[in-house]
Amino acid sequence: MAKDNILTIEEVISRAGEFLGKEDTRLIQHAYDYASEAHKEQYRKSGEPYIIHPVQVAGILVDLEMDAETIAGGLLHDVLEDTNVTFDMLEKEFNEEVAMLVDGVTKLGKIKYKSREAIQAENHRKMFVAMAKDIRVILIKLADRLHNMRTLKHLKPEKQRRISNETLEIFAPLAHRLGISTIKWELEDTALRYLNPQQYYRIVQLMKQKREQRESYIEGVMNEVDSQLKELNIEADMSGRPKHLYSIYQKMVKQNKQFNEIYDLLAVRIIVDSIKDCYAVLGIIHTCWKPMPGRFKDYIAMPKQNLYQSLHTTVIGPKGDPLEVQIRTKEMHEIAEYGIAAHWAYKEGRQLANGKKSFEEKLTWFREILEWQSETNDAEEFMESLKVDLFSDMVYVFTPKGDVIELPSGSIPLDFAYKIHTEIGNKTIGAKVNGKMEPLDYKLRNGDIVEVMTSKHSYGPSQDWLKITQTSQAKSKIKQFFKKQKREENILKGKEAVEQEIHELSFDPKEVLTQENIHRVCEKFNFSNEDDMYAAVGYQGITAAVIATRLTDKIREARQKKQDLAQTIEEVNTDFKKKKAPKGESGVHVEGVDNLLVRLAKCCNPVPGDEIIGYITKGRGVSVHRADCPNVQTEEAKQRYMHVQWEGTHTDKKQYHVDLEISGYDRRGLLNEVLQGVNETKTNITHVNGRSDRNKMAIIQITLLIHNTGHLRKIVERIKQIKDVYTVTRTIH
């Protein structure tokens, strides 16, 4: 996939024309013209016209060889959110299919929630539900995220870290679950670059230093294998497989190793024509070099759930170092690189690679999302369930007949039973693992043969099962059972519990439980009506505390705002009457006020030259912050703003505190050189603190006395000239 060059729409359409018909390319051109007109007055953070982003997203989808509707959806994916275009307009201009794809990708940015976490959880919930209806939604979303990660340098560091964290938590694992390794690895490596730039660039440098040595070694291995293959008349493509930066970093962190202690950086990939040839090549590899015990995996006989197939083995190579070898067919390689996209059922005239199982059957795990979403009323709970079921490590166990069942790591026989069938789960009374009776909370391991014992006289699930099961499917089925069994009882029990919680929050239930308030909370948690809400509390589908908190949040906010406003008015009036700041002490003037106490905020330490804002505090007059200080960016804080400005011209007489953080490679003498560099600028240092970590990264924190931003710029430029210094940043507490 092209990473650096910016594609034009002509290049995208030309590439699409290699595997799509003229009618399809006309649809793509029309989608571009429509999106270009809709976004014509919009620009990205980089200053580029906004339409460049949808074109690059379409380019990524063309690399995956998606159908015309999906590529058109990629070009149009932001028009519903960022322009005046509506769903009906889109459906009329194109068709329902394209409109549904675009709507599925569209974010819920206009909905207001209490926390960023709640907003993101609800966004992800919508995304997963939409893609359960049409998997192409997530392919567009992944392409969108990939291009955003490629252009992340134009955003502020805080936003870069937040987006990178979300990418590692949600999107990279999802690309892995769909088998699209080309996107997965790029997302992970790019996220690492912003989350830990020092380690990222250090690994890049170390990889470059040993590149020639690795290439020479791999070439020798391939020559040896090639001579053996010729004797057997087996055609094969061989290549050295580069280890991805994020996987190296993960090993360094998890195994507490330095780069030079990681030996499996060497890998060879061998691509042949048939499955028979795969096993023949495996025999050659094991004949040439001694295999390492426990490091052989046969994903051809037992494919991963994301459709991946390959033979993996690790041998002791020619120089005594571990050498990883992957062997697969050309078709398997296409699936390994492009995952579900390689199987795309919408592609004209293309059959699925494996006729034994239909495309839909291979994605049953994905269709279960709709079922979980209907049972989970809280968006954040829904996301936590998905992280367990979709993104955790997996364990592979067998039925007594030899069928392979994939479950999240940590699953127990009850999870296995509900995976087979709901009624088997509900009637479970015990389980045999490898022919031996085991408790129902036994942690399943790879290769276990599991037999579930059932009884038609069973009374059904126990409430304790909700605590010990791991999968969302099992928990959902257990909750369903209790919901159906005792609905009336649960409604009464739930209502009592909610009223009790409201009392404990010091509210009158009559004041809280209005129809309008109940309707609002039912909408938030996707309940059809009031009875469903109380029933869910009764069968422990959601806690009474969560419902009570939501029911009272508006009343609490209104009361608190009223109290805060009254207190602030009283305190500011007191400031005007009693507190007078010594004139010129802060160097800041409050517009329209002469005798109000003014102080510089210590969290961001503003200095002359910085853009500043005034913030009315409780009992301490006006606090002056930098305009970009995150501590005064909330909507509530903005209501307390006052206009302030620096007084007159600033000479070199007055000094201001500034905190800097310097990061670099931890070597002898680095701290001394930093201090010497600051001294050369004739600047006073009031505080110094330094530390280093196991990865040889040094962090130096210093507090300086400076005159203005010009003075600060000179200091920063001097420090940046010092060898092995990576970054110099101004810190906010």
Side-chain angles (χ1 to χ4, degrees), residues 12 15 45 222 231 265 308 326 366 371 378 533 581 616 629 640 659 725:
V12 171
R15 174 77 179 86
K45 293 284 186 185
M222 290 193 295
E231 291 181 17
L265 296 173
Y308 179 89
Q326 295 180 352
F366 220 78
E371 188 177 328
D378 183 272
M533 180 182 77
I616 302 174
C629 179
R640 296 169 177 260
D659 295 322
V725 166

Side-chain angles (χ1 to χ4, degrees), residues 121-148:
E122 191 63 40
N123 288 346
H124 292 142
R125 179 196 186 106
K126 181 186 181 186
M127 179 178 74
F128 279 103
V129 172
M131 76 189 188
K133 295 174 183 173
D134 193 328
I135 198 78
R136 291 175 294 176
V137 168
I138 194 53
L139 296 174
I140 299 173
K141 189 71 181 175
L142 284 172
D144 173 44
R145 176 52 59 113
L146 181 57
H147 184 249
N148 282 334

